[in-house]
Amino acid sequence: MSQLTHVWVFSDNVERYAELMACARQWGQQVYAIVQGSEQAARVKPLGADGIIVLEKTSELQRIENYAETLAAPIREKGNGLLLMAATKRCKALGARLSIQLDAALVNDATAVSVDENALFAEHRMYGGLAFGKVKLNSPLAIITLAPGILEPVAANPAHDCPVVTAEWVAPQQEILCQERRAKSLSSVDLSKAKRVVGVGRGLAAQDDLSMVRELAAVLGAEVGCSRPIAEGENWMERERYIGVSGVLLKSELYLTLGISGQIQHMVGGNGAKVIVAVNKDKNAPIFNYADYGLVGDIYKVVPALIAQLR
């Protein structure tokens, strides 16, 4: 497989750089990491970049979308290649701005990337996860936001060294200003890295009943996730715990679903688990078409029984 001459990586979440670097190394000859501040530069340097470009923060309220002009400058100098970013809301917003400034083709939420005969291809989900589309990016510069879990993260090498330069600040033509920040309840969990996940859906009758689900998860040493209605309809759980086509994509060893019907939009997120176990009182629920093991039963009877047996 051919390689691109230049690949840049950027993420608003420093934890994603290890995976982005693994992908960039596979597809690029020269790999440059673009980071926010000297602290991130120190954390990213052991991951093996050929060079690091530092974007200095002008203030704590600075939005990363305002870095578009500054970030575009060193990329434009090389003239061709690929900018690889994490598929987060902020990176997608930044990617849209950069796509215009660099006249670059943009693909969001890519699940695979390939380089063949000097042509760049990206795959992404279509029709709510029912199919995959493969597109060719014809522009000299291309931008791809990468879904998590594509490749194993690179291992850090503390002895690795590379040049570190600071990008000259270029003021945006239309700046996005943050007037105020308000704290909100956020989950620190990253379900894409969890080894075991217990997922709950509409079969749960009340928010207070989440206590038994969390108890079962604790016995299993698992994290708790949910279907979209629990997170965005009922608001019983944090958005970060939603599993599905526009949520988390699991790579867990075990996914135990409780009262989840198994619509395709959800299973796009759950299908990556090695073993799927489903509990649902509806014997015709679609979830049983995906499950390795299925149990037809009421979760209010099954879950307490599981907790008792597992203990």
Side-chain angles (χ1 to χ4, degrees), residues 249-293:
L249 307 181
L250 297 183
K251 297 291 181 181
S252 56
E253 296 175 0
L254 170 68
Y255 182 33
L256 171 59
T257 74
L258 305 173
I260 291 178
S261 64
Q263 298 300 322
I264 184 63
Q265 290 83 0
H266 177 79
M267 294 314 301
V268 165
N271 257 341
K274 293 180 180 178
V275 176
I276 300 175
V277 180
V279 180
N280 197 298
K281 64 182 180 181
D282 179 6
K283 66 179 181 180
N284 296 316
I287 188 69
F288 292 122
N289 295 324
Y290 301 94
D292 298 287
Y293 303 92

mmCIF file of all heavy atoms in Angstrom, residues 249-293:
data_model
loop_
_atom_site.group_PDB
_atom_site.id
_atom_site.type_symbol
_atom_site.label_atom_id
_atom_site.label_comp_id
_atom_site.label_asym_id
_atom_site.label_seq_id
_atom_site.Cartn_x
_atom_site.Cartn_y
_atom_site.Cartn_z
ATOM 1 N N LEU A 249 -18.970 3.620 20.182
ATOM 2 C CA LEU A 249 -18.814 2.341 19.481
ATOM 3 C C LEU A 249 -18.002 1.425 20.383
ATOM 4 O O LEU A 249 -16.842 1.710 20.684
ATOM 5 C CB LEU A 249 -18.103 2.540 18.147
ATOM 6 C CG LEU A 249 -18.696 3.590 17.200
ATOM 7 C CD1 LEU A 249 -17.894 3.641 15.902
ATOM 8 C CD2 LEU A 249 -20.154 3.297 16.908
ATOM 9 N N LEU A 250 -18.600 0.344 20.817
ATOM 10 C CA LEU A 250 -17.953 -0.539 21.779
ATOM 11 C C LEU A 250 -16.900 -1.432 21.131
ATOM 12 O O LEU A 250 -17.043 -1.859 19.984
ATOM 13 C CB LEU A 250 -18.992 -1.430 22.469
ATOM 14 C CG LEU A 250 -20.059 -0.737 23.327
ATOM 15 C CD1 LEU A 250 -20.947 -1.785 23.975
ATOM 16 C CD2 LEU A 250 -19.431 0.160 24.383
ATOM 17 N N LYS A 251 -15.856 -1.738 21.899
ATOM 18 C CA LYS A 251 -14.841 -2.732 21.543
ATOM 19 C C LYS A 251 -14.633 -3.677 22.720
ATOM 20 O O LYS A 251 -13.558 -4.248 22.880
ATOM 21 C CB LYS A 251 -13.522 -2.033 21.193
ATOM 22 C CG LYS A 251 -13.585 -1.121 19.982
ATOM 23 C CD LYS A 251 -13.763 -1.912 18.701
ATOM 24 C CE LYS A 251 -13.800 -0.998 17.490
ATOM 25 N NZ LYS A 251 -14.004 -1.747 16.235
ATOM 26 N N SER A 252 -15.643 -3.862 23.513
ATOM 27 C CA SER A 252 -15.529 -4.596 24.770
ATOM 28 C C SER A 252 -15.499 -6.107 24.552
ATOM 29 O O SER A 252 -15.890 -6.615 23.495
ATOM 30 C CB SER A 252 -16.699 -4.232 25.692
ATOM 31 O OG SER A 252 -17.934 -4.473 25.044
ATOM 32 N N GLU A 253 -15.059 -6.817 25.583
ATOM 33 C CA GLU A 253 -15.083 -8.275 25.549
ATOM 34 C C GLU A 253 -16.508 -8.783 25.756
ATOM 35 O O GLU A 253 -16.889 -9.812 25.207
ATOM 36 C CB GLU A 253 -14.156 -8.836 26.631
ATOM 37 C CG GLU A 253 -12.691 -8.491 26.416
ATOM 38 C CD GLU A 253 -11.820 -8.945 27.569
ATOM 39 O OE1 GLU A 253 -12.374 -9.525 28.534
ATOM 40 O OE2 GLU A 253 -10.598 -8.733 27.512
ATOM 41 N N LEU A 254 -17.293 -8.062 26.573
ATOM 42 C CA LEU A 254 -18.661 -8.462 26.882
ATOM 43 C C LEU A 254 -19.588 -7.257 26.822
ATOM 44 O O LEU A 254 -19.253 -6.188 27.341
ATOM 45 C CB LEU A 254 -18.729 -9.069 28.287
ATOM 46 C CG LEU A 254 -20.139 -9.325 28.856
ATOM 47 C CD1 LEU A 254 -20.838 -10.439 28.090
ATOM 48 C CD2 LEU A 254 -20.073 -9.644 30.345
ATOM 49 N N TYR A 255 -20.750 -7.447 26.197
ATOM 50 C CA TYR A 255 -21.802 -6.438 26.226
ATOM 51 C C TYR A 255 -23.089 -7.134 26.660
ATOM 52 O O TYR A 255 -23.651 -7.943 25.912
ATOM 53 C CB TYR A 255 -21.972 -5.779 24.862
ATOM 54 C CG TYR A 255 -23.032 -4.689 24.833
ATOM 55 C CD1 TYR A 255 -23.270 -3.888 25.955
ATOM 56 C CD2 TYR A 255 -23.805 -4.448 23.700
ATOM 57 C CE1 TYR A 255 -24.237 -2.893 25.945
ATOM 58 C CE2 TYR A 255 -24.764 -3.449 23.668
ATOM 59 C CZ TYR A 255 -24.977 -2.679 24.799
ATOM 60 O OH TYR A 255 -25.948 -1.689 24.796
ATOM 61 N N LEU A 256 -23.549 -6.827 27.851
ATOM 62 C CA LEU A 256 -24.780 -7.382 28.398
ATOM 63 C C LEU A 256 -25.872 -6.341 28.261
ATOM 64 O O LEU A 256 -25.800 -5.273 28.870
ATOM 65 C CB LEU A 256 -24.581 -7.767 29.867
ATOM 66 C CG LEU A 256 -25.825 -8.162 30.662
ATOM 67 C CD1 LEU A 256 -26.531 -9.352 30.029
ATOM 68 C CD2 LEU A 256 -25.467 -8.460 32.116
ATOM 69 N N THR A 257 -26.888 -6.633 27.449
ATOM 70 C CA THR A 257 -27.969 -5.670 27.227
ATOM 71 C C THR A 257 -29.190 -6.050 28.053
ATOM 72 O O THR A 257 -29.573 -7.222 28.104
ATOM 73 C CB THR A 257 -28.366 -5.605 25.740
ATOM 74 O OG1 THR A 257 -29.100 -6.778 25.379
ATOM 75 C CG2 THR A 257 -27.131 -5.481 24.856
ATOM 76 N N LEU A 258 -29.813 -5.060 28.673
ATOM 77 C CA LEU A 258 -30.980 -5.262 29.523
ATOM 78 C C LEU A 258 -32.133 -4.413 29.008
ATOM 79 O O LEU A 258 -32.070 -3.179 29.048
ATOM 80 C CB LEU A 258 -30.661 -4.872 30.972
ATOM 81 C CG LEU A 258 -29.457 -5.563 31.618
ATOM 82 C CD1 LEU A 258 -29.182 -4.939 32.986
ATOM 83 C CD2 LEU A 258 -29.693 -7.065 31.746
ATOM 84 N N GLY A 259 -33.156 -5.053 28.481
ATOM 85 C CA GLY A 259 -34.324 -4.313 28.012
ATOM 86 C C GLY A 259 -34.041 -3.412 26.835
ATOM 87 O O GLY A 259 -34.683 -2.374 26.675
ATOM 88 N N ILE A 260 -33.097 -3.786 25.994
ATOM 89 C CA ILE A 260 -32.777 -3.034 24.776
ATOM 90 C C ILE A 260 -33.338 -3.804 23.586
ATOM 91 O O ILE A 260 -33.063 -4.996 23.421
ATOM 92 C CB ILE A 260 -31.259 -2.838 24.623
ATOM 93 C CG1 ILE A 260 -30.747 -1.876 25.707
ATOM 94 C CG2 ILE A 260 -30.909 -2.305 23.236
ATOM 95 C CD1 ILE A 260 -29.251 -1.648 25.675
ATOM 96 N N SER A 261 -34.125 -3.126 22.740
ATOM 97 C CA SER A 261 -34.802 -3.819 21.649
ATOM 98 C C SER A 261 -33.843 -4.294 20.567
ATOM 99 O O SER A 261 -34.062 -5.329 19.941
ATOM 100 C CB SER A 261 -35.866 -2.904 21.036
ATOM 101 O OG SER A 261 -35.255 -1.751 20.452
ATOM 102 N N GLY A 262 -32.773 -3.519 20.320
ATOM 103 C CA GLY A 262 -31.774 -3.944 19.346
ATOM 104 C C GLY A 262 -31.967 -3.378 17.952
ATOM 105 O O GLY A 262 -31.640 -4.022 16.953
ATOM 106 N N GLN A 263 -32.475 -2.135 17.856
ATOM 107 C CA GLN A 263 -32.592 -1.485 16.553
ATOM 108 C C GLN A 263 -31.192 -1.256 15.966
ATOM 109 O O GLN A 263 -30.209 -1.120 16.691
ATOM 110 C CB GLN A 263 -33.343 -0.161 16.681
ATOM 111 C CG GLN A 263 -34.775 -0.311 17.172
ATOM 112 C CD GLN A 263 -35.633 -1.165 16.253
ATOM 113 O OE1 GLN A 263 -35.492 -1.094 15.028
ATOM 114 N NE2 GLN A 263 -36.522 -1.963 16.827
ATOM 115 N N ILE A 264 -31.124 -1.184 14.643
ATOM 116 C CA ILE A 264 -29.833 -1.095 13.962
ATOM 117 C C ILE A 264 -29.016 0.099 14.427
ATOM 118 O O ILE A 264 -27.796 0.036 14.538
ATOM 119 C CB ILE A 264 -30.018 -1.068 12.420
ATOM 120 C CG1 ILE A 264 -28.672 -1.070 11.703
ATOM 121 C CG2 ILE A 264 -30.860 0.124 11.994
ATOM 122 C CD1 ILE A 264 -27.841 -2.297 11.943
ATOM 123 N N GLN A 265 -29.701 1.226 14.728
ATOM 124 C CA GLN A 265 -28.977 2.429 15.154
ATOM 125 C C GLN A 265 -28.211 2.179 16.453
ATOM 126 O O GLN A 265 -27.157 2.761 16.673
ATOM 127 C CB GLN A 265 -29.946 3.603 15.330
ATOM 128 C CG GLN A 265 -30.522 4.142 14.047
ATOM 129 C CD GLN A 265 -31.713 3.332 13.570
ATOM 130 O OE1 GLN A 265 -32.106 2.364 14.203
ATOM 131 N NE2 GLN A 265 -32.291 3.750 12.445
ATOM 132 N N HIS A 266 -28.751 1.325 17.306
ATOM 133 C CA HIS A 266 -28.052 0.990 18.550
ATOM 134 C C HIS A 266 -26.981 -0.066 18.305
ATOM 135 O O HIS A 266 -25.862 0.045 18.818
ATOM 136 C CB HIS A 266 -29.032 0.483 19.605
ATOM 137 C CG HIS A 266 -28.343 0.060 20.879
ATOM 138 N ND1 HIS A 266 -27.922 0.973 21.828
ATOM 139 C CD2 HIS A 266 -27.985 -1.164 21.343
ATOM 140 C CE1 HIS A 266 -27.341 0.328 22.822
ATOM 141 N NE2 HIS A 266 -27.356 -0.972 22.556
ATOM 142 N N MET A 267 -27.292 -1.065 17.503
ATOM 143 C CA MET A 267 -26.364 -2.170 17.321
ATOM 144 C C MET A 267 -25.130 -1.788 16.526
ATOM 145 O O MET A 267 -24.107 -2.475 16.604
ATOM 146 C CB MET A 267 -27.083 -3.342 16.656
ATOM 147 C CG MET A 267 -28.181 -3.953 17.533
ATOM 148 S SD MET A 267 -27.656 -4.237 19.262
ATOM 149 C CE MET A 267 -26.265 -5.349 19.045
ATOM 150 N N VAL A 268 -25.186 -0.709 15.768
ATOM 151 C CA VAL A 268 -23.968 -0.187 15.144
ATOM 152 C C VAL A 268 -22.931 0.107 16.220
ATOM 153 O O VAL A 268 -21.738 -0.115 16.032
ATOM 154 C CB VAL A 268 -24.278 1.080 14.323
ATOM 155 C CG1 VAL A 268 -23.008 1.834 13.981
ATOM 156 C CG2 VAL A 268 -25.011 0.707 13.045
ATOM 157 N N GLY A 269 -23.398 0.585 17.379
ATOM 158 C CA GLY A 269 -22.486 0.866 18.489
ATOM 159 C C GLY A 269 -22.130 -0.357 19.292
ATOM 160 O O GLY A 269 -21.049 -0.431 19.870
ATOM 161 N N GLY A 270 -23.023 -1.355 19.355
ATOM 162 C CA GLY A 270 -22.780 -2.528 20.191
ATOM 163 C C GLY A 270 -22.154 -3.706 19.494
ATOM 164 O O GLY A 270 -21.595 -4.598 20.136
ATOM 165 N N ASN A 271 -22.198 -3.727 18.160
ATOM 166 C CA ASN A 271 -21.739 -4.897 17.412
ATOM 167 C C ASN A 271 -20.249 -5.169 17.529
ATOM 168 O O ASN A 271 -19.794 -6.266 17.223
ATOM 169 C CB ASN A 271 -22.099 -4.752 15.927
ATOM 170 C CG ASN A 271 -23.289 -5.605 15.561
ATOM 171 O OD1 ASN A 271 -23.637 -6.540 16.271
ATOM 172 N ND2 ASN A 271 -23.916 -5.292 14.443
ATOM 173 N N GLY A 272 -19.473 -4.176 17.955
ATOM 174 C CA GLY A 272 -18.033 -4.371 18.074
ATOM 175 C C GLY A 272 -17.631 -5.216 19.266
ATOM 176 O O GLY A 272 -16.468 -5.623 19.379
ATOM 177 N N ALA A 273 -18.567 -5.497 20.180
ATOM 178 C CA ALA A 273 -18.266 -6.328 21.346
ATOM 179 C C ALA A 273 -18.027 -7.770 20.899
ATOM 180 O O ALA A 273 -18.675 -8.274 19.991
ATOM 181 C CB ALA A 273 -19.415 -6.265 22.347
ATOM 182 N N LYS A 274 -17.097 -8.453 21.574
ATOM 183 C CA LYS A 274 -16.776 -9.829 21.197
ATOM 184 C C LYS A 274 -17.910 -10.787 21.542
ATOM 185 O O LYS A 274 -18.184 -11.723 20.802
ATOM 186 C CB LYS A 274 -15.480 -10.257 21.887
ATOM 187 C CG LYS A 274 -14.247 -9.502 21.411
ATOM 188 C CD LYS A 274 -13.001 -9.968 22.126
ATOM 189 C CE LYS A 274 -11.776 -9.198 21.647
ATOM 190 N NZ LYS A 274 -10.551 -9.615 22.378
ATOM 191 N N VAL A 275 -18.546 -10.564 22.700
ATOM 192 C CA VAL A 275 -19.657 -11.413 23.116
ATOM 193 C C VAL A 275 -20.820 -10.510 23.521
ATOM 194 O O VAL A 275 -20.650 -9.602 24.329
ATOM 195 C CB VAL A 275 -19.272 -12.325 24.305
ATOM 196 C CG1 VAL A 275 -20.490 -13.134 24.766
ATOM 197 C CG2 VAL A 275 -18.135 -13.262 23.919
ATOM 198 N N ILE A 276 -22.001 -10.773 22.952
ATOM 199 C CA ILE A 276 -23.203 -10.012 23.277
ATOM 200 C C ILE A 276 -24.202 -10.934 23.959
ATOM 201 O O ILE A 276 -24.537 -12.000 23.439
ATOM 202 C CB ILE A 276 -23.838 -9.395 22.017
ATOM 203 C CG1 ILE A 276 -22.852 -8.439 21.332
ATOM 204 C CG2 ILE A 276 -25.136 -8.657 22.363
ATOM 205 C CD1 ILE A 276 -23.364 -7.880 20.016
ATOM 206 N N VAL A 277 -24.662 -10.531 25.146
ATOM 207 C CA VAL A 277 -25.661 -11.275 25.901
ATOM 208 C C VAL A 277 -26.882 -10.369 26.044
ATOM 209 O O VAL A 277 -26.757 -9.230 26.481
ATOM 210 C CB VAL A 277 -25.139 -11.687 27.291
ATOM 211 C CG1 VAL A 277 -26.216 -12.472 28.049
ATOM 212 C CG2 VAL A 277 -23.872 -12.518 27.160
ATOM 213 N N ALA A 278 -28.060 -10.876 25.665
ATOM 214 C CA ALA A 278 -29.270 -10.051 25.664
ATOM 215 C C ALA A 278 -30.313 -10.615 26.613
ATOM 216 O O ALA A 278 -30.542 -11.825 26.661
ATOM 217 C CB ALA A 278 -29.846 -9.966 24.254
ATOM 218 N N VAL A 279 -30.942 -9.701 27.363
ATOM 219 C CA VAL A 279 -32.082 -10.045 28.215
ATOM 220 C C VAL A 279 -33.235 -9.137 27.807
ATOM 221 O O VAL A 279 -33.121 -7.909 27.873
ATOM 222 C CB VAL A 279 -31.765 -9.857 29.708
ATOM 223 C CG1 VAL A 279 -32.991 -10.226 30.559
ATOM 224 C CG2 VAL A 279 -30.557 -10.680 30.122
ATOM 225 N N ASN A 280 -34.343 -9.743 27.367
ATOM 226 C CA ASN A 280 -35.501 -8.971 26.932
ATOM 227 C C ASN A 280 -36.741 -9.854 27.080
ATOM 228 O O ASN A 280 -36.699 -11.040 26.768
ATOM 229 C CB ASN A 280 -35.334 -8.516 25.481
ATOM 230 C CG ASN A 280 -36.282 -7.392 25.103
ATOM 231 O OD1 ASN A 280 -37.498 -7.548 25.130
ATOM 232 N ND2 ASN A 280 -35.710 -6.246 24.735
ATOM 233 N N LYS A 281 -37.836 -9.261 27.525
ATOM 234 C CA LYS A 281 -39.052 -10.054 27.720
ATOM 235 C C LYS A 281 -39.800 -10.326 26.422
ATOM 236 O O LYS A 281 -40.706 -11.162 26.390
ATOM 237 C CB LYS A 281 -39.966 -9.362 28.724
ATOM 238 C CG LYS A 281 -40.504 -8.007 28.289
ATOM 239 C CD LYS A 281 -41.367 -7.401 29.388
ATOM 240 C CE LYS A 281 -41.932 -6.047 28.999
ATOM 241 N NZ LYS A 281 -42.747 -5.454 30.094
ATOM 242 N N ASP A 282 -39.420 -9.634 25.352
ATOM 243 C CA ASP A 282 -40.042 -9.848 24.041
ATOM 244 C C ASP A 282 -39.188 -10.832 23.244
ATOM 245 O O ASP A 282 -38.076 -10.506 22.819
ATOM 246 C CB ASP A 282 -40.168 -8.522 23.295
ATOM 247 C CG ASP A 282 -40.794 -8.684 21.910
ATOM 248 O OD1 ASP A 282 -41.232 -9.808 21.580
ATOM 249 O OD2 ASP A 282 -40.838 -7.689 21.165
ATOM 250 N N LYS A 283 -39.705 -12.039 23.030
ATOM 251 C CA LYS A 283 -38.925 -13.064 22.333
ATOM 252 C C LYS A 283 -38.648 -12.688 20.879
ATOM 253 O O LYS A 283 -37.747 -13.254 20.243
ATOM 254 C CB LYS A 283 -39.645 -14.407 22.396
ATOM 255 C CG LYS A 283 -40.968 -14.451 21.637
ATOM 256 C CD LYS A 283 -41.610 -15.826 21.725
ATOM 257 C CE LYS A 283 -42.928 -15.873 20.932
ATOM 258 N NZ LYS A 283 -43.549 -17.218 21.021
ATOM 259 N N ASN A 284 -39.406 -11.737 20.328
ATOM 260 C CA ASN A 284 -39.214 -11.309 18.938
ATOM 261 C C ASN A 284 -38.363 -10.047 18.822
ATOM 262 O O ASN A 284 -38.258 -9.473 17.729
ATOM 263 C CB ASN A 284 -40.577 -11.073 18.282
ATOM 264 C CG ASN A 284 -41.413 -12.344 18.186
ATOM 265 O OD1 ASN A 284 -40.898 -13.393 17.816
ATOM 266 N ND2 ASN A 284 -42.688 -12.256 18.535
ATOM 267 N N ALA A 285 -37.773 -9.595 19.898
ATOM 268 C CA ALA A 285 -36.951 -8.380 19.860
ATOM 269 C C ALA A 285 -35.766 -8.566 18.917
ATOM 270 O O ALA A 285 -35.116 -9.628 18.921
ATOM 271 C CB ALA A 285 -36.456 -8.041 21.260
ATOM 272 N N PRO A 286 -35.448 -7.574 18.086
ATOM 273 C CA PRO A 286 -34.326 -7.692 17.141
ATOM 274 C C PRO A 286 -32.990 -7.987 17.807
ATOM 275 O O PRO A 286 -32.096 -8.539 17.152
ATOM 276 C CB PRO A 286 -34.307 -6.317 16.459
ATOM 277 C CG PRO A 286 -35.687 -5.775 16.626
ATOM 278 C CD PRO A 286 -36.175 -6.306 17.941
ATOM 279 N N ILE A 287 -32.846 -7.651 19.075
ATOM 280 C CA ILE A 287 -31.573 -7.846 19.767
ATOM 281 C C ILE A 287 -31.128 -9.300 19.719
ATOM 282 O O ILE A 287 -29.932 -9.605 19.676
ATOM 283 C CB ILE A 287 -31.670 -7.361 21.241
ATOM 284 C CG1 ILE A 287 -30.293 -7.369 21.915
ATOM 285 C CG2 ILE A 287 -32.661 -8.197 22.039
ATOM 286 C CD1 ILE A 287 -29.359 -6.338 21.392
ATOM 287 N N PHE A 288 -32.083 -10.233 19.687
ATOM 288 C CA PHE A 288 -31.726 -11.647 19.695
ATOM 289 C C PHE A 288 -31.093 -12.092 18.370
ATOM 290 O O PHE A 288 -30.465 -13.145 18.307
ATOM 291 C CB PHE A 288 -32.952 -12.500 20.020
ATOM 292 C CG PHE A 288 -33.438 -12.333 21.436
ATOM 293 C CD1 PHE A 288 -34.736 -11.919 21.695
ATOM 294 C CD2 PHE A 288 -32.597 -12.587 22.507
ATOM 295 C CE1 PHE A 288 -35.187 -11.762 23.001
ATOM 296 C CE2 PHE A 288 -33.039 -12.432 23.812
ATOM 297 C CZ PHE A 288 -34.331 -12.021 24.075
ATOM 298 N N ASN A 289 -31.246 -11.292 17.321
ATOM 299 C CA ASN A 289 -30.575 -11.597 16.059
ATOM 300 C C ASN A 289 -29.084 -11.295 16.111
ATOM 301 O O ASN A 289 -28.314 -11.786 15.281
ATOM 302 C CB ASN A 289 -31.211 -10.794 14.916
ATOM 303 C CG ASN A 289 -32.651 -11.188 14.654
ATOM 304 O OD1 ASN A 289 -33.003 -12.349 14.772
ATOM 305 N ND2 ASN A 289 -33.486 -10.209 14.303
ATOM 306 N N TYR A 290 -28.680 -10.480 17.068
ATOM 307 C CA TYR A 290 -27.274 -10.087 17.200
ATOM 308 C C TYR A 290 -26.580 -10.795 18.365
ATOM 309 O O TYR A 290 -25.354 -10.873 18.399
ATOM 310 C CB TYR A 290 -27.167 -8.577 17.433
ATOM 311 C CG TYR A 290 -27.756 -7.729 16.334
ATOM 312 C CD1 TYR A 290 -29.066 -7.260 16.413
ATOM 313 C CD2 TYR A 290 -27.010 -7.386 15.207
ATOM 314 C CE1 TYR A 290 -29.621 -6.467 15.416
ATOM 315 C CE2 TYR A 290 -27.556 -6.595 14.196
ATOM 316 C CZ TYR A 290 -28.859 -6.147 14.307
ATOM 317 O OH TYR A 290 -29.389 -5.378 13.310
ATOM 318 N N ALA A 291 -27.361 -11.286 19.318
ATOM 319 C CA ALA A 291 -26.794 -11.797 20.563
ATOM 320 C C ALA A 291 -26.156 -13.175 20.380
ATOM 321 O O ALA A 291 -26.665 -14.027 19.642
ATOM 322 C CB ALA A 291 -27.886 -11.872 21.632
ATOM 323 N N ASP A 292 -25.046 -13.386 21.071
ATOM 324 C CA ASP A 292 -24.444 -14.718 21.149
ATOM 325 C C ASP A 292 -25.222 -15.586 22.133
ATOM 326 O O ASP A 292 -25.325 -16.799 21.961
ATOM 327 C CB ASP A 292 -22.981 -14.594 21.588
ATOM 328 C CG ASP A 292 -22.154 -13.800 20.595
ATOM 329 O OD1 ASP A 292 -21.864 -14.335 19.516
ATOM 330 O OD2 ASP A 292 -21.819 -12.635 20.901
ATOM 331 N N TYR A 293 -25.747 -14.943 23.183
ATOM 332 C CA TYR A 293 -26.573 -15.624 24.171
ATOM 333 C C TYR A 293 -27.783 -14.746 24.465
ATOM 334 O O TYR A 293 -27.646 -13.538 24.643
ATOM 335 C CB TYR A 293 -25.803 -15.878 25.470
ATOM 336 C CG TYR A 293 -24.538 -16.685 25.281
ATOM 337 C CD1 TYR A 293 -23.309 -16.053 25.073
ATOM 338 C CD2 TYR A 293 -24.571 -18.072 25.289
ATOM 339 C CE1 TYR A 293 -22.153 -16.782 24.884
ATOM 340 C CE2 TYR A 293 -23.413 -18.825 25.106
ATOM 341 C CZ TYR A 293 -22.207 -18.171 24.895
ATOM 342 O OH TYR A 293 -21.071 -18.900 24.699
#
